Amino acid sequence: MKKALLILTIFSFLFSCKSQTIVPMNNSYWDYPEPAYLKDTENFLNKFIGTWKYQNGNEQFKIVLKKKLKYDYDGRYSDILYGEYQYINVSGQILVNTLDKIDIPMDESYHNITGATFIPNNLRVKCNDCSPGEFRVESFFDDPDRKGLIGTGVIFRYVNPTTIKVLIIGSKGKVLESETDNLPDQLRVPSAEYTMVKQ
């Protein structure tokens, strides 16, 4: 009996050491215990799931977004968005199209849009017309043919069930690596805010 109780105590201790604290994603990213699971407790990320499109004449920007629950960042967990996109410029030329990669089985961090950081209206790129307490979602945004860019990103803002605003944040330069020296230092999608409609 004592041996069984000892084994039960050891397993309880090990389990408690590995347990995670669930932290709502709209809490501060800086004030949470380790290990933690940053969970989309209010399903806010669900508002961005789907296919979204911006069109102005010939110019088109299309994004497909999905959600991954409990993505593992080396023992730290978070719910995230991931996705792919297509951009057609004002001349009707397809500059980038990664939409065919959305359903390829791969680690979600390898997609060209990945991550989800909740940001209030007064942080990062300040939102002057956001309501008090409104959150936006920031993700990484990569151009597959322009490696080594730093500072790129995308901020998603929910407007209503059929509309989101998508702010593309351009590069602040390149990582100094010889293999990227001759590549352009900006994304092919222009830095701008796009009002996108659900398809």
Side-chain angles (χ1 to χ4, degrees):
M1 179 70 172
K2 287 182 180 180
K3 189 173 184 180
L5 186 57
L6 178 62
I7 291 172
L8 182 60
T9 303
I10 291 171
F11 276 113
S12 295
F13 174 77
L14 291 174
F15 181 77
S16 67
C17 289
K18 293 290 187 181
S19 67
Q20 298 167 340
T21 303
I22 292 178
V23 177
M25 291 185 77
N26 59 355
N27 281 4
S28 170
Y29 258 52
W30 315 116
D31 298 325
Y32 61 87
E34 294 282 346
Y37 169 22
L38 299 174
K39 184 172 178 55
D40 184 20
T41 55
E42 297 177 15
N43 292 317
F44 184 66
L45 295 179
N46 293 8
K47 297 178 178 183
F48 301 99
I49 295 171
T51 301
W52 302 89
K53 185 177 178 183
Y54 164 86
Q55 182 151 9
N56 183 14
N58 290 331
E59 185 183 23
Q60 293 180 40
F61 184 25
K62 187 176 184 182
I63 290 177
V64 177
L65 293 173
K66 296 188 175 191
K67 179 180 177 181
K68 168 73 175 175
L69 297 175
K70 205 172 182 181
Y71 181 80
D72 183 358
Y73 288 103
D74 294 325
R76 299 172 72 190
Y77 296 90
S78 179
D79 295 340
I80 64 168
L81 292 174
Y82 67 95
E84 298 294 343
Y85 64 95
Q86 177 188 63
Y87 179 73
I88 300 172
N89 69 10
V90 294
S91 302
Q93 179 185 11
I94 298 174
L95 294 187
V96 59
N97 184 3
T98 68
L99 293 175
D100 61 336
K101 293 178 174 48
I102 191 65
D103 291 320
I104 294 175
M106 67 171 102
D107 186 298
E108 289 78 10
S109 68
Y110 293 140
H111 286 279
N112 288 294
I113 299 170
T114 186
T117 301
F118 280 44
I119 54 174
N121 58 10
N122 60 345
L123 288 183
R124 186 71 161 126
V125 178
K126 189 171 180 178
C127 179
N128 294 323
D129 62 339
C130 286
S131 59
E134 180 178 343
F135 282 91
R136 297 167 293 155
V137 175
E138 183 172 10
S139 297
F140 293 104
F141 188 87
D142 292 325
D143 187 320
D145 292 337
R146 299 197 175 172
K147 301 295 183 190
L149 299 181
I150 55 173
T152 61
V154 58
I155 296 176
F156 300 107
R157 181 181 176 202
Y158 176 79
V159 177
N160 61 50
T162 61
T163 309
I164 62 173
K165 291 191 176 185
V166 176
L167 177 63
I168 300 298
I169 302 167
S171 172
K172 292 179 174 52
K174 292 190 301 183
V175 176
L176 297 176
E177 293 180 16
S178 58
E179 61 192 51
T180 66
D181 286 346
N182 296 324
L183 295 176
D185 62 358
Q186 289 298 318
L187 297 167
R188 289 176 286 176
V189 179
S191 299
E193 184 175 70
Y194 301 87
T195 300
M196 306 187 91
V197 176
K198 195 158 198 179
Q199 303 297 293

